[in-house]
Amino acid sequence: VTCVDAKGIGFVVTGKQAELRTASGAVVVTKFATGEFYRIAFVVQPKSGSRLLEIYVNGIRSGAVSYGQADTPLQVASKPST
């Protein structure tokens, strides 16, 4: 599943990994074994708080990265998932 706009903002989930990207290029990625079923959750903490991008796999945080105060994980024009 790919939901990334022309500026590279969004998320990608493949059979091997999941990633979330911001406007300035902050990326959080987690890899997993193929052939299994997983529940994936993306969490974006607010700028007024910890400013973290997080990925959870089966309820366990498996990746996190902070994003800058001027950065944004929001797409200007929403891109449909493919």
Side-chain angles (χ1 to χ4, degrees):
V1 175
T2 301
C3 184
V4 178
D5 69 6
K7 295 182 180 183
I9 303 168
F11 67 89
V12 177
V13 179
T14 68
K16 296 181 180 181
Q17 70 180 33
E19 63 183 69
L20 181 60
R21 306 174 190 168
T22 68
S24 72
V27 179
V28 61
V29 178
T30 189
K31 296 181 185 266
F32 38 80
T34 59
E36 299 292 327
F37 290 97
Y38 299 99
R39 290 177 294 134
I40 307 293
F42 295 105
V43 177
V44 179
Q45 299 291 343
K47 288 183 180 181
S48 61
S50 60
R51 295 188 330 265
L52 284 177
L53 302 175
E54 302 171 284
I55 297 179
Y56 287 80
V57 177
N58 293 334
I60 299 168
R61 186 165 84 168
S62 60
V65 67
S66 63
Y67 65 97
Q69 186 66 32
D71 197 3
T72 182
L74 302 176
Q75 296 176 336
V76 175
S78 62
K79 171 86 172 154
S81 300
T82 56

